[in-house]
PDB file of all heavy atoms in Angstrom:
ATOM      1  N   ALA A 740     -30.608 -64.731  69.045  1.00  0.00           N
ATOM      2  CA  ALA A 740     -29.220 -64.264  69.006  1.00  0.00           C
ATOM      3  C   ALA A 740     -28.758 -64.060  67.566  1.00  0.00           C
ATOM      4  O   ALA A 740     -28.111 -63.054  67.234  1.00  0.00           O
ATOM      5  CB  ALA A 740     -28.309 -65.257  69.722  1.00  0.00           C
ATOM      6  N   ALA A 741     -29.097 -65.026  66.692  1.00  0.00           N
ATOM      7  CA  ALA A 741     -28.733 -64.901  65.280  1.00  0.00           C
ATOM      8  C   ALA A 741     -29.455 -63.712  64.647  1.00  0.00           C
ATOM      9  O   ALA A 741     -28.881 -62.987  63.825  1.00  0.00           O
ATOM     10  CB  ALA A 741     -29.077 -66.187  64.535  1.00  0.00           C
ATOM     11  N   ALA A 742     -30.711 -63.498  65.030  1.00  0.00           N
ATOM     12  CA  ALA A 742     -31.470 -62.369  64.502  1.00  0.00           C
ATOM     13  C   ALA A 742     -30.844 -61.049  64.922  1.00  0.00           C
ATOM     14  O   ALA A 742     -30.784 -60.094  64.125  1.00  0.00           O
ATOM     15  CB  ALA A 742     -32.914 -62.443  64.972  1.00  0.00           C
ATOM     16  N   GLU A 743     -30.375 -60.979  66.163  1.00  0.00           N
ATOM     17  CA  GLU A 743     -29.730 -59.751  66.650  1.00  0.00           C
ATOM     18  C   GLU A 743     -28.445 -59.481  65.880  1.00  0.00           C
ATOM     19  O   GLU A 743     -28.135 -58.336  65.544  1.00  0.00           O
ATOM     20  CB  GLU A 743     -29.457 -59.883  68.146  1.00  0.00           C
ATOM     21  CG  GLU A 743     -30.736 -59.847  68.983  1.00  0.00           C
ATOM     22  CD  GLU A 743     -30.476 -60.172  70.446  1.00  0.00           C
ATOM     23  OE1 GLU A 743     -29.382 -60.683  70.766  1.00  0.00           O
ATOM     24  OE2 GLU A 743     -31.369 -59.920  71.272  1.00  0.00           O
ATOM     25  N   SER A 744     -27.676 -60.545  65.583  1.00  0.00           N
ATOM     26  CA  SER A 744     -26.451 -60.385  64.782  1.00  0.00           C
ATOM     27  C   SER A 744     -26.789 -59.971  63.354  1.00  0.00           C
ATOM     28  O   SER A 744     -26.107 -59.133  62.756  1.00  0.00           O
ATOM     29  CB  SER A 744     -25.654 -61.696  64.771  1.00  0.00           C
ATOM     30  OG  SER A 744     -25.242 -62.045  66.067  1.00  0.00           O
ATOM     31  N   LEU A 745     -27.843 -60.570  62.798  1.00  0.00           N
ATOM     32  CA  LEU A 745     -28.278 -60.231  61.437  1.00  0.00           C
ATOM     33  C   LEU A 745     -28.632 -58.754  61.336  1.00  0.00           C
ATOM     34  O   LEU A 745     -28.297 -58.084  60.353  1.00  0.00           O
ATOM     35  CB  LEU A 745     -29.475 -61.092  61.052  1.00  0.00           C
ATOM     36  CG  LEU A 745     -30.113 -60.809  59.689  1.00  0.00           C
ATOM     37  CD1 LEU A 745     -29.152 -61.189  58.564  1.00  0.00           C
ATOM     38  CD2 LEU A 745     -31.424 -61.568  59.526  1.00  0.00           C
ATOM     39  N   ALA A 746     -29.321 -58.251  62.340  1.00  0.00           N
ATOM     40  CA  ALA A 746     -29.771 -56.859  62.316  1.00  0.00           C
ATOM     41  C   ALA A 746     -28.612 -55.871  62.286  1.00  0.00           C
ATOM     42  O   ALA A 746     -28.778 -54.720  61.859  1.00  0.00           O
ATOM     43  CB  ALA A 746     -30.650 -56.580  63.527  1.00  0.00           C
ATOM     44  N   LYS A 747     -27.426 -56.329  62.725  1.00  0.00           N
ATOM     45  CA  LYS A 747     -26.251 -55.452  62.770  1.00  0.00           C
ATOM     46  C   LYS A 747     -25.312 -55.659  61.586  1.00  0.00           C
ATOM     47  O   LYS A 747     -24.346 -54.902  61.421  1.00  0.00           O
ATOM     48  CB  LYS A 747     -25.485 -55.693  64.071  1.00  0.00           C
ATOM     49  CG  LYS A 747     -26.279 -55.355  65.329  1.00  0.00           C
ATOM     50  CD  LYS A 747     -25.509 -55.734  66.576  1.00  0.00           C
ATOM     51  CE  LYS A 747     -26.329 -55.453  67.836  1.00  0.00           C
ATOM     52  NZ  LYS A 747     -25.623 -55.885  69.073  1.00  0.00           N
ATOM     53  N   ALA A 748     -25.574 -56.669  60.781  1.00  0.00           N
ATOM     54  CA  ALA A 748     -24.679 -57.002  59.670  1.00  0.00           C
ATOM     55  C   ALA A 748     -24.712 -55.929  58.584  1.00  0.00           C
ATOM     56  O   ALA A 748     -25.783 -55.463  58.183  1.00  0.00           O
ATOM     57  CB  ALA A 748     -25.062 -58.360  59.089  1.00  0.00           C
ATOM     58  N   ARG A 749     -23.509 -55.560  58.119  1.00  0.00           N
ATOM     59  CA  ARG A 749     -23.420 -54.519  57.088  1.00  0.00           C
ATOM     60  C   ARG A 749     -23.779 -55.036  55.701  1.00  0.00           C
ATOM     61  O   ARG A 749     -24.124 -54.258  54.812  1.00  0.00           O
ATOM     62  CB  ARG A 749     -21.998 -53.953  57.064  1.00  0.00           C
ATOM     63  CG  ARG A 749     -21.603 -53.228  58.358  1.00  0.00           C
ATOM     64  CD  ARG A 749     -20.187 -52.716  58.263  1.00  0.00           C
ATOM     65  NE  ARG A 749     -19.778 -52.019  59.489  1.00  0.00           N
ATOM     66  CZ  ARG A 749     -18.573 -51.484  59.686  1.00  0.00           C
ATOM     67  NH1 ARG A 749     -17.661 -51.580  58.724  1.00  0.00           N
ATOM     68  NH2 ARG A 749     -18.283 -50.884  60.818  1.00  0.00           N
ATOM     69  N   SER A 750     -23.684 -56.340  55.528  1.00  0.00           N
ATOM     70  CA  SER A 750     -23.872 -56.918  54.193  1.00  0.00           C
ATOM     71  C   SER A 750     -25.339 -57.042  53.784  1.00  0.00           C
ATOM     72  O   SER A 750     -25.639 -57.569  52.717  1.00  0.00           O
ATOM     73  CB  SER A 750     -23.218 -58.306  54.129  1.00  0.00           C
ATOM     74  OG  SER A 750     -23.747 -59.150  55.142  1.00  0.00           O
ATOM     75  N   ILE A 751     -26.259 -56.564  54.609  1.00  0.00           N
ATOM     76  CA  ILE A 751     -27.697 -56.708  54.275  1.00  0.00           C
ATOM     77  C   ILE A 751     -28.344 -55.357  53.937  1.00  0.00           C
ATOM     78  O   ILE A 751     -29.567 -55.255  53.912  1.00  0.00           O
ATOM     79  CB  ILE A 751     -28.470 -57.384  55.426  1.00  0.00           C
ATOM     80  CG1 ILE A 751     -28.385 -56.537  56.710  1.00  0.00           C
ATOM     81  CG2 ILE A 751     -27.963 -58.794  55.669  1.00  0.00           C
ATOM     82  CD1 ILE A 751     -29.347 -56.990  57.788  1.00  0.00           C
ATOM     83  N   LYS A 752     -27.536 -54.359  53.691  1.00  0.00           N
ATOM     84  CA  LYS A 752     -28.117 -53.039  53.420  1.00  0.00           C
ATOM     85  C   LYS A 752     -29.007 -53.032  52.181  1.00  0.00           C
ATOM     86  O   LYS A 752     -29.906 -52.201  52.066  1.00  0.00           O
ATOM     87  CB  LYS A 752     -26.996 -52.009  53.270  1.00  0.00           C
ATOM     88  CG  LYS A 752     -26.318 -51.662  54.589  1.00  0.00           C
ATOM     89  CD  LYS A 752     -25.304 -50.551  54.414  1.00  0.00           C
ATOM     90  CE  LYS A 752     -24.680 -50.159  55.754  1.00  0.00           C
ATOM     91  NZ  LYS A 752     -23.699 -49.065  55.622  1.00  0.00           N
ATOM     92  N   GLN A 753     -28.738 -53.953  51.238  1.00  0.00           N
ATOM     93  CA  GLN A 753     -29.545 -54.026  50.020  1.00  0.00           C
ATOM     94  C   GLN A 753     -30.721 -54.994  50.159  1.00  0.00           C
ATOM     95  O   GLN A 753     -31.509 -55.167  49.227  1.00  0.00           O
ATOM     96  CB  GLN A 753     -28.681 -54.442  48.822  1.00  0.00           C
ATOM     97  CG  GLN A 753     -28.243 -55.900  48.836  1.00  0.00           C
ATOM     98  CD  GLN A 753     -26.970 -56.130  49.642  1.00  0.00           C
ATOM     99  OE1 GLN A 753     -26.802 -55.576  50.727  1.00  0.00           O
ATOM    100  NE2 GLN A 753     -26.084 -56.952  49.094  1.00  0.00           N
ATOM    101  N   LEU A 754     -30.860 -55.632  51.326  1.00  0.00           N
ATOM    102  CA  LEU A 754     -31.898 -56.644  51.536  1.00  0.00           C
ATOM    103  C   LEU A 754     -33.302 -56.047  51.438  1.00  0.00           C
ATOM    104  O   LEU A 754     -33.607 -55.035  52.056  1.00  0.00           O
ATOM    105  CB  LEU A 754     -31.717 -57.283  52.919  1.00  0.00           C
ATOM    106  CG  LEU A 754     -32.589 -58.501  53.232  1.00  0.00           C
ATOM    107  CD1 LEU A 754     -32.257 -59.659  52.306  1.00  0.00           C
ATOM    108  CD2 LEU A 754     -32.421 -58.919  54.694  1.00  0.00           C
ATOM    109  N   ARG A 755     -34.175 -56.733  50.646  1.00  0.00           N
ATOM    110  CA  ARG A 755     -35.556 -56.272  50.477  1.00  0.00           C
ATOM    111  C   ARG A 755     -36.581 -57.287  50.985  1.00  0.00           C
ATOM    112  O   ARG A 755     -37.674 -56.898  51.376  1.00  0.00           O
ATOM    113  CB  ARG A 755     -35.836 -55.975  48.997  1.00  0.00           C
ATOM    114  CG  ARG A 755     -34.990 -54.825  48.442  1.00  0.00           C
ATOM    115  CD  ARG A 755     -35.346 -54.530  47.005  1.00  0.00           C
ATOM    116  NE  ARG A 755     -34.487 -53.510  46.440  1.00  0.00           N
ATOM    117  CZ  ARG A 755     -34.659 -52.196  46.594  1.00  0.00           C
ATOM    118  NH1 ARG A 755     -35.690 -51.757  47.305  1.00  0.00           N
ATOM    119  NH2 ARG A 755     -33.834 -51.333  46.049  1.00  0.00           N
ATOM    120  N   ARG A 756     -36.228 -58.575  50.989  1.00  0.00           N
ATOM    121  CA  ARG A 756     -37.176 -59.617  51.403  1.00  0.00           C
ATOM    122  C   ARG A 756     -36.498 -60.558  52.394  1.00  0.00           C
ATOM    123  O   ARG A 756     -35.469 -61.159  52.081  1.00  0.00           O
ATOM    124  CB  ARG A 756     -37.666 -60.391  50.176  1.00  0.00           C
ATOM    125  CG  ARG A 756     -38.497 -59.549  49.214  1.00  0.00           C
ATOM    126  CD  ARG A 756     -38.724 -60.266  47.889  1.00  0.00           C
ATOM    127  NE  ARG A 756     -37.480 -60.362  47.129  1.00  0.00           N
ATOM    128  CZ  ARG A 756     -37.011 -59.403  46.338  1.00  0.00           C
ATOM    129  NH1 ARG A 756     -37.671 -58.261  46.215  1.00  0.00           N
ATOM    130  NH2 ARG A 756     -35.872 -59.565  45.684  1.00  0.00           N
ATOM    131  N   LEU A 757     -37.124 -60.714  53.566  1.00  0.00           N
ATOM    132  CA  LEU A 757     -36.551 -61.548  54.616  1.00  0.00           C
ATOM    133  C   LEU A 757     -37.610 -62.485  55.187  1.00  0.00           C
ATOM    134  O   LEU A 757     -38.698 -62.042  55.573  1.00  0.00           O
ATOM    135  CB  LEU A 757     -35.978 -60.674  55.734  1.00  0.00           C
ATOM    136  CG  LEU A 757     -35.427 -61.399  56.971  1.00  0.00           C
ATOM    137  CD1 LEU A 757     -34.283 -62.338  56.597  1.00  0.00           C
ATOM    138  CD2 LEU A 757     -34.974 -60.398  58.029  1.00  0.00           C
ATOM    139  N   THR A 758     -37.282 -63.783  55.248  1.00  0.00           N
ATOM    140  CA  THR A 758     -38.191 -64.794  55.796  1.00  0.00           C
ATOM    141  C   THR A 758     -37.462 -65.618  56.852  1.00  0.00           C
ATOM    142  O   THR A 758     -36.376 -66.157  56.580  1.00  0.00           O
ATOM    143  CB  THR A 758     -38.698 -65.740  54.693  1.00  0.00           C
ATOM    144  OG1 THR A 758     -39.423 -64.990  53.717  1.00  0.00           O
ATOM    145  CG2 THR A 758     -39.610 -66.808  55.278  1.00  0.00           C
ATOM    146  N   ILE A 759     -38.043 -65.696  58.039  1.00  0.00           N
ATOM    147  CA  ILE A 759     -37.525 -66.569  59.101  1.00  0.00           C
ATOM    148  C   ILE A 759     -38.746 -67.181  59.792  1.00  0.00           C
ATOM    149  O   ILE A 759     -39.351 -66.558  60.667  1.00  0.00           O
ATOM    150  CB  ILE A 759     -36.671 -65.810  60.138  1.00  0.00           C
ATOM    151  CG1 ILE A 759     -35.653 -64.883  59.467  1.00  0.00           C
ATOM    152  CG2 ILE A 759     -35.953 -66.799  61.058  1.00  0.00           C
ATOM    153  CD1 ILE A 759     -34.916 -63.964  60.428  1.00  0.00           C
ATOM    154  N   SER A 760     -39.128 -68.374  59.412  1.00  0.00           N
ATOM    155  CA  SER A 760     -40.357 -68.984  59.938  1.00  0.00           C
ATOM    156  C   SER A 760     -40.051 -70.221  60.776  1.00  0.00           C
ATOM    157  O   SER A 760     -39.094 -70.949  60.513  1.00  0.00           O
ATOM    158  CB  SER A 760     -41.288 -69.373  58.784  1.00  0.00           C
ATOM    159  OG  SER A 760     -41.706 -68.228  58.075  1.00  0.00           O
ATOM    160  N   GLY A 761     -40.885 -70.438  61.792  1.00  0.00           N
ATOM    161  CA  GLY A 761     -40.809 -71.654  62.592  1.00  0.00           C
ATOM    162  C   GLY A 761     -39.582 -71.764  63.470  1.00  0.00           C
ATOM    163  O   GLY A 761     -39.077 -72.863  63.700  1.00  0.00           O
ATOM    164  N   LYS A 762     -39.091 -70.653  64.017  1.00  0.00           N
ATOM    165  CA  LYS A 762     -37.853 -70.680  64.805  1.00  0.00           C
ATOM    166  C   LYS A 762     -38.039 -70.209  66.244  1.00  0.00           C
ATOM    167  O   LYS A 762     -37.060 -69.959  66.945  1.00  0.00           O
ATOM    168  CB  LYS A 762     -36.785 -69.811  64.109  1.00  0.00           C
ATOM    169  CG  LYS A 762     -36.418 -70.280  62.720  1.00  0.00           C
ATOM    170  CD  LYS A 762     -35.928 -71.714  62.731  1.00  0.00           C
ATOM    171  CE  LYS A 762     -35.725 -72.257  61.336  1.00  0.00           C
ATOM    172  NZ  LYS A 762     -35.355 -73.672  61.342  1.00  0.00           N
ATOM    173  N   LYS A 763     -39.256 -70.039  66.697  1.00  0.00           N
ATOM    174  CA  LYS A 763     -39.548 -69.592  68.068  1.00  0.00           C
ATOM    175  C   LYS A 763     -38.911 -68.246  68.400  1.00  0.00           C
ATOM    176  O   LYS A 763     -38.504 -67.989  69.536  1.00  0.00           O
ATOM    177  CB  LYS A 763     -39.099 -70.654  69.077  1.00  0.00           C
ATOM    178  CG  LYS A 763     -39.819 -71.984  68.924  1.00  0.00           C
ATOM    179  CD  LYS A 763     -39.367 -72.994  69.965  1.00  0.00           C
ATOM    180  CE  LYS A 763     -40.101 -74.321  69.780  1.00  0.00           C
ATOM    181  NZ  LYS A 763     -39.679 -75.332  70.780  1.00  0.00           N
ATOM    182  N   LEU A 764     -38.814 -67.400  67.400  1.00  0.00           N
ATOM    183  CA  LEU A 764     -38.284 -66.053  67.631  1.00  0.00           C
ATOM    184  C   LEU A 764     -39.248 -65.274  68.523  1.00  0.00           C
ATOM    185  O   LEU A 764     -40.460 -65.389  68.395  1.00  0.00           O
ATOM    186  CB  LEU A 764     -38.094 -65.315  66.302  1.00  0.00           C
ATOM    187  CG  LEU A 764     -37.141 -65.970  65.286  1.00  0.00           C
ATOM    188  CD1 LEU A 764     -37.090 -65.146  64.011  1.00  0.00           C
ATOM    189  CD2 LEU A 764     -35.744 -66.122  65.878  1.00  0.00           C
ATOM    190  N   THR A 765     -38.714 -64.448  69.403  1.00  0.00           N
ATOM    191  CA  THR A 765     -39.522 -63.706  70.361  1.00  0.00           C
ATOM    192  C   THR A 765     -39.490 -62.212  70.067  1.00  0.00           C
ATOM    193  O   THR A 765     -38.993 -61.782  69.020  1.00  0.00           O
ATOM    194  CB  THR A 765     -39.010 -63.951  71.787  1.00  0.00           C
ATOM    195  OG1 THR A 765     -37.733 -63.297  71.952  1.00  0.00           O
ATOM    196  CG2 THR A 765     -38.856 -65.441  72.077  1.00  0.00           C
ATOM    197  N   ALA A 766     -39.987 -61.443  71.021  1.00  0.00           N
ATOM    198  CA  ALA A 766     -39.999 -59.988  70.890  1.00  0.00           C
ATOM    199  C   ALA A 766     -38.592 -59.419  70.767  1.00  0.00           C
ATOM    200  O   ALA A 766     -38.411 -58.309  70.246  1.00  0.00           O
ATOM    201  CB  ALA A 766     -40.709 -59.371  72.089  1.00  0.00           C
ATOM    202  N   LEU A 767     -37.575 -60.171  71.230  1.00  0.00           N
ATOM    203  CA  LEU A 767     -36.193 -59.701  71.112  1.00  0.00           C
ATOM    204  C   LEU A 767     -35.784 -59.524  69.651  1.00  0.00           C
ATOM    205  O   LEU A 767     -35.055 -58.593  69.309  1.00  0.00           O
ATOM    206  CB  LEU A 767     -35.248 -60.690  71.806  1.00  0.00           C
ATOM    207  CG  LEU A 767     -35.378 -60.786  73.325  1.00  0.00           C
ATOM    208  CD1 LEU A 767     -34.472 -61.890  73.869  1.00  0.00           C
ATOM    209  CD2 LEU A 767     -35.047 -59.439  73.971  1.00  0.00           C
ATOM    210  N   THR A 768     -36.258 -60.410  68.796  1.00  0.00           N
ATOM    211  CA  THR A 768     -35.980 -60.282  67.362  1.00  0.00           C
ATOM    212  C   THR A 768     -36.642 -59.030  66.799  1.00  0.00           C
ATOM    213  O   THR A 768     -36.030 -58.276  66.032  1.00  0.00           O
ATOM    214  CB  THR A 768     -36.486 -61.526  66.613  1.00  0.00           C
ATOM    215  OG1 THR A 768     -35.678 -62.649  66.974  1.00  0.00           O
ATOM    216  CG2 THR A 768     -36.428 -61.326  65.108  1.00  0.00           C
ATOM    217  N   ALA A 769     -37.899 -58.798  67.184  1.00  0.00           N
ATOM    218  CA  ALA A 769     -38.603 -57.597  66.726  1.00  0.00           C
ATOM    219  C   ALA A 769     -37.883 -56.337  67.198  1.00  0.00           C
ATOM    220  O   ALA A 769     -37.765 -55.355  66.453  1.00  0.00           O
ATOM    221  CB  ALA A 769     -40.039 -57.612  67.237  1.00  0.00           C
ATOM    222  N   LYS A 770     -37.398 -56.367  68.430  1.00  0.00           N
ATOM    223  CA  LYS A 770     -36.666 -55.219  68.988  1.00  0.00           C
ATOM    224  C   LYS A 770     -35.397 -54.959  68.186  1.00  0.00           C
ATOM    225  O   LYS A 770     -35.083 -53.800  67.857  1.00  0.00           O
ATOM    226  CB  LYS A 770     -36.328 -55.483  70.448  1.00  0.00           C
ATOM    227  CG  LYS A 770     -35.636 -54.316  71.137  1.00  0.00           C
ATOM    228  CD  LYS A 770     -35.372 -54.641  72.606  1.00  0.00           C
ATOM    229  CE  LYS A 770     -34.687 -53.457  73.310  1.00  0.00           C
ATOM    230  NZ  LYS A 770     -34.415 -53.775  74.738  1.00  0.00           N
ATOM    231  N   ALA A 771     -34.658 -56.034  67.856  1.00  0.00           N
ATOM    232  CA  ALA A 771     -33.419 -55.905  67.092  1.00  0.00           C
ATOM    233  C   ALA A 771     -33.675 -55.376  65.687  1.00  0.00           C
ATOM    234  O   ALA A 771     -32.979 -54.473  65.206  1.00  0.00           O
ATOM    235  CB  ALA A 771     -32.703 -57.255  67.030  1.00  0.00           C
ATOM    236  N   PHE A 772     -34.688 -55.930  65.012  1.00  0.00           N
ATOM    237  CA  PHE A 772     -35.009 -55.475  63.658  1.00  0.00           C
ATOM    238  C   PHE A 772     -35.503 -54.026  63.668  1.00  0.00           C
ATOM    239  O   PHE A 772     -35.196 -53.241  62.772  1.00  0.00           O
ATOM    240  CB  PHE A 772     -36.057 -56.377  63.026  1.00  0.00           C
ATOM    241  CG  PHE A 772     -35.551 -57.741  62.633  1.00  0.00           C
ATOM    242  CD1 PHE A 772     -36.427 -58.732  62.205  1.00  0.00           C
ATOM    243  CD2 PHE A 772     -34.202 -58.044  62.695  1.00  0.00           C
ATOM    244  CE1 PHE A 772     -35.961 -59.978  61.836  1.00  0.00           C
ATOM    245  CE2 PHE A 772     -33.728 -59.299  62.337  1.00  0.00           C
ATOM    246  CZ  PHE A 772     -34.613 -60.273  61.914  1.00  0.00           C
ATOM    247  N   GLY A 773     -36.281 -53.678  64.676  1.00  0.00           N
ATOM    248  CA  GLY A 773     -36.808 -52.325  64.778  1.00  0.00           C
ATOM    249  C   GLY A 773     -35.745 -51.282  65.017  1.00  0.00           C
ATOM    250  O   GLY A 773     -35.917 -50.107  64.661  1.00  0.00           O
ATOM    251  N   ALA A 774     -34.627 -51.695  65.613  1.00  0.00           N
ATOM    252  CA  ALA A 774     -33.540 -50.762  65.904  1.00  0.00           C
ATOM    253  C   ALA A 774     -32.416 -50.823  64.871  1.00  0.00           C
ATOM    254  O   ALA A 774     -31.436 -50.079  64.977  1.00  0.00           O
ATOM    255  CB  ALA A 774     -32.967 -51.065  67.291  1.00  0.00           C
ATOM    256  N   SER A 775     -32.539 -51.707  63.885  1.00  0.00           N
ATOM    257  CA  SER A 775     -31.462 -51.924  62.915  1.00  0.00           C
ATOM    258  C   SER A 775     -31.200 -50.699  62.049  1.00  0.00           C
ATOM    259  O   SER A 775     -32.129 -50.029  61.591  1.00  0.00           O
ATOM    260  CB  SER A 775     -31.812 -53.115  62.016  1.00  0.00           C
ATOM    261  OG  SER A 775     -30.845 -53.276  61.000  1.00  0.00           O
TER     262      SER A 775
END
């Protein structure tokens, strides 16, 4: 859910490096990032 919100946030347009490890993220996170 947090990943889906992150993918829509306007304040990350300049983001170049992102790390989210050990959080049991699923394909839903990949789907959100892929559509961001």
Side-chain angles (χ1 to χ4, degrees):
E743 290 172 346
S744 298
L745 176 67
K747 297 175 183 177
R749 296 179 180 179
S750 57
I751 61 168
K752 288 185 177 181
Q753 72 274 42
L754 188 64
R755 296 183 184 277
R756 294 169 290 276
L757 176 60
T758 299
I759 313 172
S760 296
K762 299 303 173 185
K763 298 181 180 180
L764 301 178
T765 70
L767 293 175
T768 291
K770 183 178 181 181
F772 288 172
S775 175

